[in-house]
Structures are given as structure tokens and as C-alpha cells.
Amino acid sequence: MVRKMGVYAVLAFCLYGLFFYWYLFHFADAAVPFEFEGSKADPITFLNGRELSLSEEYSKVRNLLFFLSTPFEWLFYFLILLFGFSKAFKRWADSSSKYKLLQTAIYLIWLSFFAFLATFPLNYISYSLSKTYHISTQPFASWMKDELIDFWLNYGTWLIIVPVLYWLMKKSQKRWWLYGWLLSIPFTLFMMFLQPVVIDPLYNDFYPLKNKELETKILALADKADIPAQHVFEVNMADKTNSLNAYVAGIGSNARIVLWDTTLNRLNDNQILFIMAHEMCHYVEKHIYFGIAGYLLLSLLGLYLTYRLMNWAVRRYGNELKITDVRDIRSLPLFFMILSMLLFAASPLTNLASRYQETRADKYAIEMTKNSEAAITSFQELTRSGLSQVNPPLLVKLFRYTHPSMLDRISMLEEYEIKHRNE
């Protein structure tokens, strides 16, 4: 039975992968609709033939890797349970120490290490792909350093969460999901507060914007929007990527507006001011806080469903999965697998909410700057630098895109330009 379940799981993953290969490479049509041909949203008007070809190739492979990576994670955790590795990790942990907390730490390091090894090939392929298409400029040693930082940060985070989670399971078998969610609220807020000043600097160097003339213009824009900003930060990304980006991070007094230095190097002041106005909208309309509220509501539902599904799985397949009790730490891979599945299933909804906020920010930015030419050309340059698809396939947009497609964004700006041309 165990061998049969393993074969079925691998077969299901292979069929899933073949479906998305067929969908992305042979079925999905990323061409610009007829009504947008020749418009400023049509990539043929701002990309050359080679860039168009590279964008199409890169997007297809990158999207395929995305759709393979998350289900591969599910397959990994399922096989870890099915073939008794989780049971072995617990046995090794129990034999290594008599202290419960240390046993949990040892179990976690084994599980984390095997997960890192299993997912490393796909991560490396993704990195190698971005290097091949000249998106990434990051040397392997630097990339590997970031991977190891990710590993230890994730391990440290779960080392805090997992002992508390399983302690709650033992204290309240029916309500642990609710108590765990309540504890997650201050933890989430604390981590978001730390993000810009503790976590992000582990990966890159941040410093106040060097171009003081540009900073004066940005701060004037912030003053116009009633934002009490004193500094704009830039981050050194040119050693890692050719892509452009800007974002708002953190909450409270640690909130920051950040520009990548690649953005500063490749866009002019008017284009940067439009992008900054976009980011300011997220602050003005409190999108970060709405995002936190939405995340917490979804996490409540997610933990409840995880509780129900874990109990069902252990009752139905406990012998096959080598789990006798949900409260045993051997069930942790099952917890990770179910949680990952629920996050993936919820991503079309969370992405839809994010795209709505980003659309609001685009409209806010163009109303504030009233420079449609700078806005349109900034999006065109973003498309060129990242070899992005202007009109992605439907499933890609649903599951991957937290921002509107460039077709939607540029066409909205072009409509604004036409509407206000004679004003």
C-alpha cells in the first residue's frame, strides 16, 4: 500500500507537470489582443525582435518552474512521511538529547536540511535561468549566501513556532488552531516591524538616497500627499540583478520607501517620481495594514482547515504515514504540506486583492504626477529589464501576478493620456 501510494503521488506530479508544460508552451496565447495592437501597451512598439523572443522564452520556462516548485514541495513532505523519514528524524532526535526542546530543534534541523537538499536543484535551475537571460548578475557565491541566510532564517522562525504549536496541540487538541492564531497576531506584527531594519539588511546594503536633488523632489511629493517622510532609502541591487523595483516595507516607525539602485540608474527623475507616487499610495491608503488584516483572517481559516485535514488524514492514513497522533512532532511534514496546499489554493484570491491595490496605486500616482509619458515609459522599461510578459496566460495571472499585467497598466495610462490630452 505504501509503495503504491508513493507511485501514485509521483505519477500525479508528473501528469501535473506535463499539463502545465502543454498549457504554457502549446496552448496559452500571450499575444496582445487585436484592439491593443499598435498601442503603447503592445510590446512590439517598445521592444526589439530579440527582446520579444527572449521575453517569450524566459517567461514560459520561469512560469513552468513556478508551477512545478510548490507541488514538488508537497510531494517531498508526502514521501518523507510515507517512507518513514519523519519517524527516523524523531528517533535520531530522541536519542541525541533528553531535553524536549533540544529534541525538537534536532528534528527540525534534519527536516529542514533534507528539504533544502530536495528543493535545491529547482532553485538552482531558476537562478541559472535568470543568469542565462541576463536578469541576474549575482555570482554563485553570493546567491549561495542568500540561500543559506534563507535556510537559517526559516529554521530560526520555525524553531520559535513549532515548539509552541505542538505544546498547544497537547494542551488543547480541539482549540490549538485558535490559540495558535491568536499568538500569531503579535508575532506577525513584530516580524513586519523588524523586516526593514533587521532582516532585509542581511541580504543587501541600505542607505539614504544619495541623489539629494531627487530626494528633495520625492520628499516634496510626500509632503503633497501628507506623508511624514524624512528619508528615501536606496538598496544596492546592481550586483545581483538587472531588474528594476521599488517598494514600501515595514510598519510604524520602521516603515520605509525603498528604491533599488538599478531603478535609479535606468530611469529618469520623472519616471522615478511616478513610481514613488505609486508607492506613496500604499502608505496613504494603508494598503499594508489592510494586507495584514487580510492575511490574519486567511490564516485563521487556514489553521482551522489544517486542523480538520490533519485529523482526517491521521484517522484515515495514519498507519501508512507513520503517524499515530497529530500531536506527535512526526506529523510536522503533514502540517507543512497541508498549509502549503491551502496557501497555493488561496493565491488567486490574495493576488486579486493585491492587484486591486496596485491598480489603485497606479491611478493615484498618475493623478498626482499627471505625467503619462513618464508613467508609460517607466512601465515599458520595467518590462524590458525583467523580460516580463505584457499579457500573461490566465493561469499565470491568477496564481503568480500580485500586480496587474503590463497590458492593463499601460492601457489604463494611455486612456488617461487620451482623456487629458487637451486639458
Side-chain angles (χ1 to χ4, degrees):
M1 181 65 176
V2 168
R3 183 179 297 176
K4 190 179 290 185
M5 289 174 70
V7 170
Y8 287 158
V10 172
L11 183 61
F13 176 75
C14 292
L15 290 173
Y16 165 90
L18 286 172
F19 166 78
F20 271 101
Y21 175 82
W22 167 79
Y23 175 77
L24 294 169
F25 285 83
H26 299 288
F27 178 77
D29 184 10
V32 172
F34 172 78
E35 60 269 27
F36 295 101
E37 289 182 1
S39 70
K40 293 181 180 180
D42 187 347
I44 203 169
T45 64
F46 60 89
L47 297 180
N48 61 42
R50 183 174 182 275
E51 288 169 336
L52 283 169
S53 176
L54 290 175
S55 173
E56 191 69 17
E57 291 172 7
Y58 177 66
S59 296
K60 285 178 179 178
V61 180
R62 185 183 59 172
N63 290 332
L64 179 62
L65 286 172
F66 166 81
F67 282 110
L68 289 177
S69 59
T70 303
F72 180 79
E73 182 184 329
W74 310 339
L75 178 65
F76 165 77
Y77 286 126
F78 183 69
L79 295 179
I80 281 286
L81 290 168
L82 202 61
F83 292 107
F85 285 99
S86 184
K87 185 178 179 180
F89 296 159
K90 185 175 188 297
R91 186 171 65 250
W92 298 342
D94 291 348
S95 64
S96 299
S97 175
K98 62 180 180 179
Y99 299 106
K100 194 69 178 175
L101 191 59
L102 195 54
Q103 289 172 358
T104 301
I106 294 168
Y107 174 91
L108 266 176
I109 197 69
W110 277 113
L111 181 61
S112 300
F113 177 69
F114 272 75
F116 179 83
L117 289 181
T119 56
F120 184 83
L122 279 177
N123 291 337
Y124 178 76
I125 290 169
S126 180
Y127 160 72
S128 181
L129 179 74
S130 63
K131 286 278 286 187
T132 300
Y133 284 86
H134 304 291
I135 304 298
S136 173
T137 59
Q138 189 173 20
F140 175 80
S142 174
W143 175 79
M144 196 66 214
K145 176 188 172 186
D146 286 350
E147 290 291 299
L148 291 174
I149 291 172
D150 280 344
F151 174 86
W152 288 111
L153 276 178
N154 289 331
Y155 175 74
T157 302
W158 284 115
L159 192 56
I160 295 170
I161 295 172
V162 169
V164 174
L165 185 70
Y166 277 83
W167 179 80
L168 290 172
M169 286 182 179
K170 290 172 182 175
K171 290 295 181 181
S172 179
Q173 192 170 358
K174 293 184 178 180
R175 294 285 182 271
W176 64 263
W177 57 273
L178 177 60
Y179 302 139
W181 177 77
L182 290 171
L183 288 175
S184 76
I185 296 174
F187 182 77
T188 300
L189 295 175
F190 179 67
M191 291 301 290
M192 291 200 71
F193 185 77
L194 288 183
Q195 182 83 30
V197 294
V198 176
I199 298 174
D200 289 347
L202 294 174
Y203 297 90
N204 302 291
D205 296 324
F206 291 77
Y207 32 80
L209 187 61
K210 295 174 184 176
N211 186 336
K212 295 306 175 185
E213 183 179 345
L214 177 60
E215 183 179 49
T216 300
K217 293 178 183 178
I218 294 172
L219 293 178
L221 203 64
D223 185 62
K224 183 179 175 183
D226 295 323
I227 297 173
Q230 295 181 337
H231 296 287
V232 177
F233 289 85
E234 64 177 284
V235 55
N236 178 22
M237 291 297 295
D239 292 338
K240 293 184 176 182
T241 183
N242 285 317
S243 294
L244 315 182
N245 197 18
Y247 62 90
V248 177
I251 57 175
S253 59
N254 279 357
R256 287 181 173 182
I257 297 176
V258 180
L259 271 165
W260 286 11
D261 60 349
T262 51
T263 305
L264 293 164
N265 295 338
R266 294 179 62 170
L267 300 185
N268 62 42
D269 284 8
N270 288 332
Q271 291 169 328
I272 291 171
L273 288 174
F274 169 78
I275 290 173
M276 286 290 93
H278 171 103
E279 298 303 330
M280 288 173 190
C281 177
H282 293 311
Y283 180 93
V284 171
E285 297 194 357
K286 296 179 171 55
H287 290 167
I288 293 174
Y289 296 99
F290 282 116
I292 293 170
Y295 164 78
L296 290 173
L297 286 174
L298 279 177
S299 66
L300 174 62
L301 177 61
L303 281 172
Y304 173 71
L305 291 175
T306 301
Y307 151 75
R308 296 300 297 265
L309 289 169
M310 283 184 75
N311 284 333
W312 171 82
V314 171
R315 282 196 308 270
R316 180 70 177 82
Y317 299 107
N319 289 335
E320 290 82 0
L321 299 178
K322 317 294 189 295
I323 306 171
T324 56
D325 192 333
V326 170
R327 296 169 295 180
D328 191 318
I329 198 169
R330 285 181 293 177
S331 69
L332 185 60
L334 180 63
F335 174 83
F336 284 156
M337 183 177 73
I338 292 172
L339 202 60
S340 178
M341 287 178 168
L342 292 174
L343 286 170
F344 186 77
S347 58
L349 177 62
T350 57
N351 289 344
L352 179 65
S354 177
R355 288 196 299 271
Y356 171 76
Q357 291 183 342
E358 297 298 334
T359 300
R360 293 275 304 174
D362 285 347
K363 292 178 178 178
Y364 178 94
I366 193 60
E367 289 293 343
M368 175 174 274
T369 61
K370 301 189 184 303
N371 190 334
S372 57
E373 181 64 23
I376 290 170
T377 54
S378 67
F379 283 154
Q380 290 173 339
E381 189 58 35
L382 282 168
T383 303
R384 179 181 292 107
S385 67
L387 293 180
S388 306
Q389 282 180 308
V390 168
N391 186 34
L394 177 61
L395 291 180
V396 174
K397 186 175 180 179
L398 288 175
F399 284 93
R400 286 207 69 187
Y401 273 52
T402 57
H403 290 63
S405 69
M406 284 302 179
L407 178 67
D408 294 332
R409 303 179 87 174
I410 296 174
S411 59
M412 182 274 290
L413 293 170
E414 197 167 14
E415 287 175 11
Y416 175 91
E417 184 179 51
I418 294 169
K419 182 179 178 181
H420 295 83
R421 183 170 289 164
N422 299 320
E423 290 183 4

